[in-house]
Amino acid sequence: MKQPVSILPPQDVIQVLERLEAAGHQAWCVGGCVRDSLLGKTPSDWDVATSALPQETKECFAGQRLVEVGIAHGTVALVGTTGHPIEITTFRADGEYSDGRHPDSVAFSRRLEDDLSRRDFTVNAMAYHPVRGLRDMFGGQEDLARGLLRCVGDPGRRFSEDALRILRCLRFSSQLGFAVDEGTRLALWNKGDLLLGLSRERVREELTKLLCGPQAEQVLREYGEVVFLVLPELSPMKGCAQETPYHCFDVWEHTLHALAHAPQEPSLKWAVLLHDTGKPGKKTYSPDGVAHFYGHPPESGKIARQVLERLRFSNRQREEIAALVDHHEDKLPLGEAHLKKLLGQYGQQFVRRLLDLMEADMSAKAPGIFQRRLPDVEESRRRVREILARGDCLTLKDMALDGGDLQAMGIPPGPRMGALLNRLLEAVWAGQVENDKEALKQFVLRLEGRRSL
Ligand code: ATP
Ligand code: MG
C-alpha cells in the first residue's frame, strides 16, 4: 500500500498552476519540492513545469514581476510579494549531448513524460498536481522509501550526457543520507574522468552542498577518490599516517571526523576539509620514530588558496577560508592580544569560526585529547565575549588617536603615517599602551625618539 501523499503547495504556487491551466496549458509542481514533501520536509522552493512555451507563460502573467532566468532554457521566474520566486519552466526533451554538460539543443515539449525522463534521479523525477495527484514514472516513491539514489534511465549514459550529475549524486547522498543504487554507483566510478570538463563554479556549488550535508563524512569516505578527481590536493592525505601520541587516524580519516563535528557553514566546512592538506608534504620523523608536521599550517594555507582560486571562490571567501587554515594551530587558549588582533583584522564571525575549526580539529584526534583541550577553546570563547563586552579597541576606527592627531604632531600623511598608525594599533592590542589620546601621543614620542612635541 502506498503511503497517503501529503504535498501542500503554498497558495501562490497553486495560483500559478491555476492561472496556467485556465489558459489551456498543463502545469505541475516538480523535482525537489515533491521529493522533500514526500520526505516530510518543508521544501526550500517550489518549481513549476508547464506545457506553456516561455512566451505563453509570460503572457499568462502579464503585468506581474517576471525575471527571465534562463529564457533559452525555458525558465521564467515569478517574483511574488512573499516567499521565494517561483520558477516556471517549459517541459523539455533534451537534444543530443556532446560536451558532457549542456545539451546541444533544448527541445521544448508539450508532454510531462518527456520532462520527467530528462531529470537526474528517480527521487527528483516526480511531479505533483493538487487535482491530478502524483506522477511517478520511475519508481521514485519506492526509492525514497528505501533511501536510494538511482539515475533515471541508463546511468552510464546519463553521466556521460552531463557529468555534473555525478557530483549531484554525491551531494544528494550527503544531504539526504541516501545510498547509491548499484548500477548508478558503478557508472559513477566509470565516468569520473568526465568531471574534469565541468565548469568550476558548478563543481564548487555541488561540493559545497556535499560538504554541508549531514552525511558528508560517510560520502567522502566511500567516494573520496571521485572527489579527488576534482580536488587532487586532498589525495595525499589518504594513507598519510600520523605516528604521534596526539593522533589515532591518518590525515584523511582525521579530516573526515573533524568535518562531521563542524557546524554546517560553508566557509567552515571548506576550512576543515583543507586544514591539513599541507601535512603530507611536511612530514618528518624524529629518531624515536615519532612523526612531525612542522610548518604545515602555512603550507595548508598555500594549498587552500590554490584550490579556492581554481574553484573561483570570491576573493573574500577565499581569504576567509585560507586565513582559517593559516591560523588553525594558533596556540590555545588564544591570548587577549592575539584575539584582539584577529577580531580587528578579520571580525567576530571569523574568530567564532576559527574556534569552531579548532574544536572540530581536536574532536578528531586521539581519545582523551578532546576532553583535555576543549576547556582551552571554551576559555578563548569566554575571552572573546569579554573583549566584545568591554568594547576594547580592535581597529583603527576605535583608536583614540588618528591621522589628524599625528599630523598635528608634525607627521605628514603618507606611508610612514600609515605604518605608524598600524604600529600603534598593534601596541594597543598587545596592551603596551592604553587606548587614550595622551598615552598614545607619549608612545609616539618614545617611538620617534623625541622628548616632546
Ligand atoms: P535543492 O533543494 O537542493 O534545490 P533540487 O532537487 O531542487 O534540490 P536543483 O538543483 O534545484 O535541485 O534542481 C531542480 C530539479 O531539476 C532537480 O530535482 C532535478 O529534477 C532537475 N535537475 C537539476 N539539475 C539537473 C541535471 N544536471 N540533470 C538532470 N536533471 C536535473
Ligand atoms: Mg531547487
Side-chain angles (χ1 to χ4, degrees):
M1 257 269 295
K2 292 239 163 88
Q3 294 289 318
V5 175
S6 63
I7 304 176
L8 299 167
Q11 206 46 43
D12 52 351
V13 173
I14 291 182
Q15 279 166 5
V16 166
L17 299 178
E18 284 174 350
R19 174 76 68 97
L20 285 161
E21 301 211 329
H25 308 293
Q26 247 195 78
W28 297 75
C29 300
V30 283
C33 57
V34 179
R35 178 198 67 222
D36 289 345
S37 297
L38 291 173
L39 285 172
K41 299 182 190 169
T42 309
S44 52
D45 43 28
W46 289 79
D47 294 330
V48 170
T50 177
S51 59
L53 294 171
Q55 191 51 40
E56 294 169 331
T57 300
K58 287 193 341 196
E59 283 159 16
C60 280
F61 298 98
Q64 298 193 42
R65 242 191 98 202
L66 291 175
V67 182
E68 297 186 359
V69 196
I71 200 82
H73 290 91
T75 304
V76 170
L78 184 66
V79 187
T81 44
T82 54
H84 287 287
I86 301 166
E87 292 201 349
I88 308 167
T89 307
T90 305
F91 293 154
R92 286 182 285 179
D94 286 343
E96 284 298 304
Y97 293 80
S98 60
D99 67 354
R101 174 70 196 108
H102 292 289
D104 288 346
S105 60
V106 179
F108 295 133
S109 165
R110 297 285 186 184
R111 291 166 16 103
L112 173 69
E113 292 73 18
D114 290 337
D115 190 77
L116 295 181
S117 307
R118 58 161 285 283
R119 292 179 181 268
D120 46 10
F121 306 105
T122 60
V123 296
N124 286 346
M126 289 181 277
Y128 177 76
H129 187 280
V131 176
R132 292 188 292 274
L134 188 72
R135 200 57 178 276
D136 175 14
M137 296 164 58
F138 306 104
Q141 272 191 109
E142 214 170 292
D143 286 341
L144 269 186
R146 288 189 297 175
L148 214 52
L149 287 162
R150 193 158 53 90
C151 284
V152 171
D154 174 59
R157 218 189 102 222
R158 301 312 309 282
F159 289 151
S160 301
E161 285 169 0
D162 179 0
L164 193 70
R165 291 171 187 153
I166 296 175
L167 292 182
R168 289 175 60 80
C169 185
L170 298 186
R171 84 105 145 151
F172 283 118
S173 178
S174 168
Q175 288 181 323
L176 304 172
F178 281 18
V180 182
D181 180 68
E182 179 72 22
T184 299
R185 189 167 68 228
L186 278 176
L188 195 145
W189 286 108
N190 287 335
K191 301 290 178 182
D193 290 347
L194 297 172
L195 291 175
L196 296 173
L198 290 174
S199 124
R200 292 161 179 190
E201 288 84 353
R202 303 301 299 270
V203 169
R204 180 191 68 216
E205 292 305 313
E206 293 301 329
L207 288 178
T208 300
K209 289 180 181 170
L210 190 171
L211 287 175
C212 290
Q215 301 292 317
E217 175 192 3
Q218 291 80 351
V219 170
L220 288 174
R221 182 170 294 120
E222 186 166 358
Y223 298 101
E225 274 79 4
V226 176
V227 174
F228 296 165
L229 292 165
V230 280
L231 295 174
E233 293 86 352
L234 302 184
S235 149
M237 292 198 284
K238 189 164 179 175
C240 180
Q242 307 193 82
E243 302 91 338
T244 89
Y246 307 110
H247 283 278
C248 58
F249 300 123
D250 74 4
V251 181
W252 178 237
E253 259 309 307
H254 160 73
T255 302
L256 298 182
H257 279 83
L259 261 180
H261 190 93
Q264 294 182 3
E265 284 174 339
S267 298
L268 179 60
K269 292 284 192 185
W270 275 100
V272 174
L273 184 73
L274 298 167
H275 80 286
D276 273 350
T277 44
K279 270 191 170 175
K282 288 286 179 186
K283 186 172 179 180
T284 55
Y285 290 96
S286 47
D288 55 2
V290 171
H292 301 280
F293 301 94
Y294 298 124
H296 80 269
E299 182 63 17
S300 299
K302 209 167 88 190
I303 294 172
R305 285 180 176 82
Q306 231 173 55
V307 169
L308 300 168
E309 190 163 346
R310 189 176 69 239
L311 292 182
R312 314 245 198 280
F313 275 81
S314 68
N315 291 349
R316 192 158 158 224
Q317 210 179 4
R318 184 185 69 221
E319 268 323 297
E320 187 202 358
I321 298 168
L324 286 169
V325 172
D326 287 337
H327 288 282
H328 82 271
E329 286 260 305
D330 288 0
K331 196 174 161 338
L332 280 167
L334 300 179
E336 285 228 348
H338 187 56
L339 278 171
K340 286 184 200 173
K341 183 171 179 160
L342 292 175
L343 286 165
Q345 280 187 329
Y346 301 111
Q348 286 180 45
Q349 182 172 266
F350 174 88
V351 174
R352 189 171 48 73
R353 287 185 180 152
L354 178 61
L355 290 165
D356 285 346
L357 169 61
M358 291 171 140
E359 180 179 323
D361 190 9
M362 62 179 59
S363 80
K365 295 189 181 182
I369 300 255
F370 186 63
Q371 290 73 8
R372 212 162 64 234
R373 303 298 313 277
L374 188 63
D376 285 346
V377 174
E378 296 295 7
E379 170 62 18
S380 310
R381 289 185 175 127
R382 197 187 58 74
R383 290 178 187 176
V384 170
R385 284 196 297 273
E386 261 182 26
I387 291 169
L388 295 174
R390 284 198 305 258
D392 286 354
C393 167
L394 301 174
T395 65
L396 286 178
K397 276 207 296 288
D398 310 327
M399 207 162 66
L401 187 110
D402 62 15
D405 298 316
L406 288 181
Q407 220 173 326
M409 293 172 75
I411 296 161
R416 188 170 137 241
M417 179 189 279
L420 187 55
L421 283 168
N422 284 320
R423 173 73 188 80
L424 290 174
L425 184 60
E426 296 260 1
V428 173
W429 284 334
Q432 291 166 356
V433 57
E434 237 184 286
N435 187 30
D436 165 89
K437 199 183 289 251
E438 268 319 303
L440 284 162
K441 276 186 185 171
Q442 291 306 319
F443 194 81
V444 170
L445 293 177
R446 277 206 305 283
L447 278 181
E448 299 275 295
R450 287 195 268 166
R451 252 192 230 113
S452 61
L453 288 174

